[in-house]
Amino acid sequence: MATVKFYLHDKSAEKTNIYFFLNYGAFELQNGKKKYLPFKYFINESIEPKNWNSETGRAKQTKNFRQFPEFNAKLQAIEDEALTILRKLQNDNIKITHEVLRNKLDVVFKTEHPRQK
């Protein structure tokens, strides 16, 4: 089963970008052992590290960040969309590579205009 986990790019910065690792089972063999190759993808969100919970990969409530529920809902929507894209590729029997994933995710997350459904 594929998993998504969010991380901070620079924990020492005043405000930092967020990326996720999508682990979908890609691997290579090294010395006869599997080395998993999670896919790293930066999203268009940033946060102050003091408002971040590294264990959960989500924002936490702080005195100056009361909008954390909405922020976490946005992260959940991004996670859900990434997993939906992966599932569609699998269902369509498309060979999944990091490049294919990046192209599909960019169409959704890197456009200037909201996507039409």
Side-chain angles (χ1 to χ4, degrees):
M1 178 178 192
T3 60
V4 172
K5 178 121 190 238
F6 294 94
Y7 297 90
L8 299 183
H9 177 67
D10 183 358
K11 295 176 187 174
S12 64
E14 188 173 318
K15 195 167 187 176
T16 186
N17 293 330
I18 298 173
Y19 65 91
F20 65 77
F21 274 124
L22 172 57
N23 200 339
Y24 61 96
F27 68 89
E28 65 183 15
L29 291 176
Q30 289 185 350
N31 299 323
K33 295 184 180 182
K34 286 183 181 179
K35 179 185 177 201
Y36 284 93
L37 306 169
F39 171 70
K40 184 177 184 178
Y41 190 80
F42 279 87
I43 61 173
N44 291 328
E45 297 294 334
S46 59
I47 192 170
E48 294 177 23
K50 67 183 179 184
N51 299 323
W52 188 255
N53 182 329
S54 295
E55 288 183 28
T56 62
R58 295 289 195 267
K60 63 183 177 182
Q61 181 178 9
T62 62
K63 183 178 175 182
N64 297 320
F65 193 64
R66 294 203 168 106
Q67 65 272 30
F68 78 98
E70 293 85 4
F71 192 88
N72 286 338
K74 197 181 302 185
L75 293 180
Q76 187 62 51
I78 291 169
E79 178 178 338
D80 293 345
E81 186 67 28
L83 291 173
T84 296
I85 289 168
L86 177 65
R87 192 170 37 258
K88 285 179 182 177
L89 290 170
Q90 291 169 332
N91 289 343
D92 293 343
N93 291 318
I94 295 172
K95 182 176 174 19
I96 300 168
T97 65
H98 286 11
E99 183 179 354
V100 168
L101 276 173
R102 183 168 316 284
N103 290 338
K104 294 291 187 182
L105 291 168
D106 283 351
V107 167
V108 174
F109 297 120
K110 303 293 180 173
T111 58
E112 292 183 25
H113 304 288
R115 185 173 64 134
Q116 301 294 320
K117 290 199 178 198

